[in-house]
Amino acid sequence: TGEEQKAWWDQANREPAGMTEPQADRYMRDQALALARSQPIMFARACVQRFLHFWSVAPAAAVYPGAVRLAVACWSVPLFLLLARGVMGRSAWEWPRIAALLSIVGLVLVHLFYWTDIRMRAPIVPAIALVAACAGLRPRPAEKA
C-alpha cells in the first residue's frame, strides 16, 4: 500500500512501455511466473490472501463505513452458510445444478492467480444464490424403471 504500491505500479508500467499489448501481456505473464517459481511460499500466501479477499463477508474498512460493512456482512454470512450447505448436498452435484457450482469454482480458480476483491464475485452471485437455494432441496427419489 502507499508509497510501496506506487513504486510497484510505476515500475510495472515502465518496463513494458513501448511493447504491443500482446508483447506486454506475455512479458508480464513471464514476470509473474518467474516470481512464482523463485518465491513459491510468497506466491502461495498471496493465493490464500486473494482467496480470502474474494470470499470476504464485508467490503474494505478503508473504503466503506462500518454501517455499510455490517449490512453487507449481515447478508453475506447467512448466504455463505446456505452456500456451504448447498455444496454439501447431493442435489448441487447433479446436472444441471452442477453448472452453477462449476461456474463458482472456475471464477475462484481464476482469481487465485489474478487481482481480486469482493467485487470480483459479481458475475457468480446468481450461481451462489442457486447453489444456496439447493440447501433446502431434498434429493429427488430415484425413478422406477
Side-chain angles (χ1 to χ4, degrees), residues 47-131:
C47 288
V48 169
Q49 284 295 326
R50 283 187 291 274
F51 180 85
L52 295 174
H53 283 233
F54 188 87
W55 289 108
S56 176
V57 297
V63 180
Y64 294 93
V68 170
R69 292 175 38 78
L70 180 61
V72 172
C74 286
W75 171 260
S76 298
V77 169
L79 179 64
F80 289 174
L81 291 172
L82 286 171
L83 173 64
R85 185 171 176 198
V87 166
M88 289 187 278
R90 210 171 67 207
S91 64
W93 297 91
E94 296 172 353
W95 184 258
R97 293 182 190 113
I98 195 169
L101 190 56
L102 291 176
S103 69
I104 294 169
V105 170
L107 196 66
V108 168
L109 289 174
V110 165
H111 284 286
L112 285 179
F113 304 104
Y114 293 100
W115 180 84
T116 191
D117 67 12
I118 194 172
R119 295 173 298 153
M120 301 301 130
R121 275 198 318 253
I124 58 167
V125 167
I128 291 170
L130 287 170
V131 174

